[in-house]
Structure formats: C-alpha cells, structure tokens
Amino acid sequence: MTVLSSRFPFPLSADIFQYSNNLRPLDTNVSIQVTHEYTEEVGLKRSLLKQHPERCFREEIHTRDAQWEVLNYVLHQLSQVYPEHFRLRQEGDNWIFENTLLGEEVHFRDLDNDSLSCAPLDFAGRQVQEDLILLTQYDDKLVLEAGQLCFPGNWSLYFDFGMPFMDIHTPVPGLIDDGLAAKIERFLMRVESGKPWTRLNWSLNAGRRLDTSAETFDEWGPYRYRVTEDNVGHLVHLRVEEQNLMRMPRSNSLLFTIHTYLMPLHEITQNQTWTNRLYRVLCTLSPKLVEYKGLSAYRDVVVEYLAKELRVNT
Ligand code: HEM
C-alpha cells in the first residue's frame, strides 16, 4: 500500500533570493502528488467550484481535445503511481475510473463530452489536489486558454484567462524588464513531451488559507496587519507552490500544474537549516519583492521571530 505522505518541499536553496529560470527536470516522472490532505483539499476544491464556478474554471471551447488529453494523462498518472487508491480500466469503448479515497466510480468514453458531467479539465482537477492550467502554443507565444484554479496565490483566472504568458507576468517586478520572462517563454515553447520540468515558488501567508484568490482579498488580506510578536509562529505560514510543466504530445499544449503547500512558521523552526535560510532570505529580500509578495506589513515581525528561534537553538 502506498503510504500517503505529508511532504513539504522547502523552496530556498541559497541565502539570497532573486528570480531566475529555476526550472529543473522532473526526474521522477511523478507529476501528481497525493498527500494526507487529499480528501480535505479535494473536498474544498469541489465546494469552491460549486460556489464560484466563474472564478475557478474557464475554457475556450476549442481546447476540448487538449483537455481530454490532460484528463487521460492525469488519470493514468493516478492509477500508475497510486494503484491502491485509483484504478483505470477500459471495457470496449468505455473507460472506468475508480477513486477509492472518495468512494467514486465514473464511466466515460474518450473524447465524448456528453459522457462526463463537466468539462474534461474540470473533471481531472476534481480528482487531484493540483490546480491545472492549460496553455495553447501558437507560433510566437503561449496563451492561457483553459484552467481549473481553486488555490491561487493572489491572482485571478477570470482576469488572466486568454492572456499570453508575457502579459500574465507583467505584475511580477523585474521579470519582463530584465528579459527573463521572454527567455522563460522561449524555453517553455521548446519543452518536449515525455520530459517534464518542475520549479518551486514561495511566499508567506498570514493565515492558513489555500484559496487566496485576488477576488477574496478583503477576506484574507487584512490578516497581514494582525501579525504580532505573540501570534506570528502560528498565524504566518510559508506557502510553497510546486509547479510542473509538461507537453501534451497530441495537441502540443502545455499543462502547468500547481500543488500548494502551507506550513506554519513554528513548524518551520523545528528545522534549523530552514529557519536560518528563511531568516537570511527575508533579511536581504529586495524592497520590490517584499512589496510584491505582500510582506511589507509583517516582514520585520517574522525576521525578529526567526532570529529569536535561532538564538534559542544555538
Ligand atoms: C507556463 C505557465 C505559467 C503560468 C500560467 C504562470 C502564471 C503566473 C501567475 C498568474 C503569476 C502571478 C502574477 C500576478 O501577480 O498577477 C505568476 C507569478 C510568477 N511566475 Fe509564473 N506562470 C507560469 C510559469 C512560470 C515559469 C516557468 C516561471 C519561471 C521559470 C515563472 C515565474 C514566475 C515568478 C517568478 C512569479 C512571481 C511569483 C512570486 O514571487 O510570488 N512562471 N505566474
């Protein structure tokens, strides 16, 4: 039996942080992670999809074939990597997918939109903790043309839908002006099928909340101003997004998966190396990044807390 893990991919590999093309080959070929939090997080996704369908799922209808490709890819991943929990089999024209963690069995026919209760990408996203974003590749650009996004780090699928890769990254300080975004896009356009890539992205969250969508900023944003010396260890979380990228060979689209992890600072400080890294990175983070990552109101409280923890443990 595969033991579901409580993994946390710590994102900082140096004491100074700056943006770079930090993609590296995904050696394991496991692009979907099923963790202990599976039932809770998939349940949360499904309830967000029900309450806010317009902000959690968008599609250009011409991406349907590519969406079917993603669905096949995701269900094969689940059944191959976690055979104790997910099973996929074919009977004649029918595919049968069993999800034993949720006690569900679904029958569908490949490429038959009427055989599913929702769009194929939406269906795929309802089986995994990852958010799933699909980009169509044109001669000179990648465009976000379908996505299921329930746990955004302060951005909006509704707003970014239909945008090219470069426009999506306009708010990120330095990424466009330094020419880095253009380089990354050229790199992405050459990604080959069967050779997935991965990267980690990070920020801090005041509060334990996966759904930090731009639309609900008024609900979670104010917590930034409630961080104090006394509550910082439990209120502030390191938020890590494990992002994978793979080419869908039939449609030539790119699938971008985002698995979001949260860990409160008091757990981070159980690990001396992590505490030290985070402390140093926060001390030297450029003012533009402090502002962009939404840390201006409480960075100093976090730095002081980490410094104290380091003093206690050395
Ligand atoms: C190909 C699919 C990708 C999509 C759809 C995507 C989308 C996004 C979005 C929506 C944001 C938030 C922008 C905002 O503030 O409104 C963002 C941030 C960012 N993206 Fe991407 N991205 C992709 C791939 C990449 C790759 C491959 C890299 C680098 C190798 C990258 C680097 C960044 C960086 C550095 C940020 C700022 C994050 C932070 O510091 O919080 N992105 N991306």
Side-chain angles (χ1 to χ4, degrees), residues 19 21 155 160 168-169 171-172 184 199 201 256 292-293:
Y19 291 142
N21 181 356
W155 64 285
D160 283 5
I168 291 172
H169 287 90
V172 185
I184 294 168
R199 71 182 286 265
N201 194 21
F256 180 60
Y292 173 69
K293 286 181 179 283

Side-chain angles (χ1 to χ4, degrees), residues 69-301:
E69 210 180 353
V70 172
L71 175 58
N72 275 312
Y73 176 82
V74 168
L75 298 189
H76 276 96
Q77 270 273 315
L78 287 174
S79 59
Q80 282 160 11
V81 181
Y82 309 95
E84 299 82 2
H85 304 302
F86 305 96
R87 282 186 278 279
L88 183 65
R89 64 182 199 279
Q90 196 172 11
E91 282 179 10
D93 283 348
N94 278 318
W95 283 93
I96 297 153
F97 178 65
E98 265 179 86
N99 179 334
T100 65
L101 289 174
L102 299 178
E104 294 175 350
E105 180 175 301
V106 182
H107 296 230
F108 62 90
R109 287 176 302 282
D110 193 21
L111 294 172
D112 179 353
N113 290 314
D114 294 335
S115 68
L116 284 176
S117 54
C118 57
L121 185 68
D122 193 3
F123 183 85
R126 288 165 190 262
Q127 309 301 322
V128 294
Q129 289 156 272
E130 280 77 7
D131 284 314
L132 304 177
I133 303 292
L134 190 61
L135 296 109
T136 305
Q137 180 148 333
Y138 292 94
D139 286 348
D140 56 345
K141 61 185 171 198
L142 290 163
V143 182
L144 195 172
E145 292 196 337
Q148 192 207 68
L149 181 75
C150 296
F151 303 148
N154 196 14
W155 64 285
S156 161
L157 175 64
Y158 189 84
F159 182 77
D160 283 5
F161 179 65
M163 275 193 195
F165 178 88
M166 294 290 281
D167 293 354
I168 291 172
H169 287 90
T170 313
V172 185
L175 216 59
I176 303 282
D177 299 345
D178 298 351
L180 189 55
K183 267 191 213 149
I184 294 168
E185 189 180 42
R186 282 198 296 277
F187 180 92
L188 295 178
M189 290 179 74
R190 293 196 303 268
V191 166
E192 294 172 27
S193 93
K195 293 187 183 165
W197 293 81
T198 189
R199 71 182 286 265
L200 297 174
N201 194 21
W202 70 276
S203 62
L204 295 181
N205 262 19
R208 185 174 185 85
R209 182 168 168 142
L210 286 165
D211 159 30
T212 47
S213 55
E215 287 88 347
T216 55
F217 183 81
D218 60 322
E219 291 172 22
W220 54 268
Y223 282 89
R224 293 172 177 179
Y225 302 95
R226 295 180 199 158
V227 178
T228 65
E229 200 184 317
D230 296 328
N231 67 18
V232 55
H234 285 79
L235 184 59
V236 176
H237 291 67
L238 181 59
R239 177 189 170 105
V240 180
E241 294 183 1
E242 187 168 51
Q243 306 178 340
N244 297 334
L245 272 150
M246 39 258 144
R247 174 78 59 199
M248 297 289 107
R250 200 172 64 203
S251 61
N252 204 35
S253 306
L254 268 189
L255 172 64
F256 180 60
T257 66
I258 311 166
H259 193 130
T260 304
Y261 297 85
L262 290 170
M263 185 175 272
L265 291 186
H266 75 91
E267 283 182 32
I268 295 285
T269 56
Q270 301 304 304
N271 181 317
Q272 178 100 352
T273 314
W274 292 359
T275 313
N276 201 13
R277 263 284 143 74
L278 183 59
Y279 169 75
R280 284 163 189 260
V281 162
L282 288 176
C283 285
T284 53
L285 201 60
S286 77
K288 274 189 185 160
L289 287 196
V290 170
E291 172 73 23
Y292 173 69
K293 286 181 179 283
L295 311 180
S296 306
Y298 64 97
R299 193 253 312 242
D300 292 351
V301 185

